Amino acid sequence: MTPLARLSGTVLYDADCGFCTTSAHWLERHGTCTVTPWQAVDLEALQLTEHDVTTAAWWLDASGQATASGAQAIAAALRTCAAPYRLAGWLMTLPVIRLLAAVVYGWVARNRYRLPGATDACRIDQR
């Protein structure tokens, strides 16, 4: 597979969070991956905990294995989209940008209740 090839898989998101749901709807319109709320899956079968999925998005590869979380899950999901989003997803896997993406994702995750479309359910510290 070339670096810019489209991936196949599923992104898990928190359907209790308005910001996450808004982002998931955007991905459903622009990507080709499956977009599924974590509340609709068997976390134990995926070897994930509720803490795992309420603090970060997760990427399940084509075989259904959880292979990435946080910024790298978003990078994988973006790689299912058309250009330029697919390029952005690929760039997010490069070492320096990967580190920056992780920092930005962490800030967004901690502050998602303050972002557009958010509700009080978006607060991570409530869980």
Side-chain angles (χ1 to χ4, degrees):
M1 177 186 326
T2 63
L4 295 180
R6 287 190 189 216
L7 295 180
S8 177
T10 300
V11 65
L12 298 181
Y13 73 98
D14 186 353
D16 288 337
C17 172
F19 175 76
C20 298
T21 300
T22 298
S23 300
H25 290 316
W26 180 92
L27 187 56
E28 287 175 324
R29 289 190 310 275
H30 293 24
T32 59
C33 63
T34 303
V35 181
T36 303
W38 70 260
Q39 293 88 341
V41 300
D42 181 354
L43 294 179
E44 188 175 332
L46 295 172
Q47 298 180 330
L48 295 172
T49 66
E50 188 170 330
H51 180 265
D52 292 334
V53 295
T54 57
T55 57
W58 281 81
W59 178 256
L60 309 179
D61 65 16
S63 70
Q65 297 295 310
T67 58
S69 66
Q72 291 309 298
I74 301 307
L78 287 173
R79 288 180 57 199
T80 73
C81 299
Y85 305 113
R86 185 169 60 236
L87 176 61
W90 177 78
L91 289 172
M92 288 172 65
T93 67
L94 299 177
V96 173
I97 298 173
R98 181 182 181 116
L99 178 61
L100 179 61
V103 170
V104 170
Y105 184 92
W107 183 88
V108 169
R110 286 187 307 278
N111 292 283
R112 64 187 186 171
Y113 67 96
R114 296 178 175 160
L115 300 173
T119 64
D120 283 340
C122 300
R123 287 182 184 263
I124 292 175
D125 58 358
Q126 291 180 346
R127 300 177 191 248

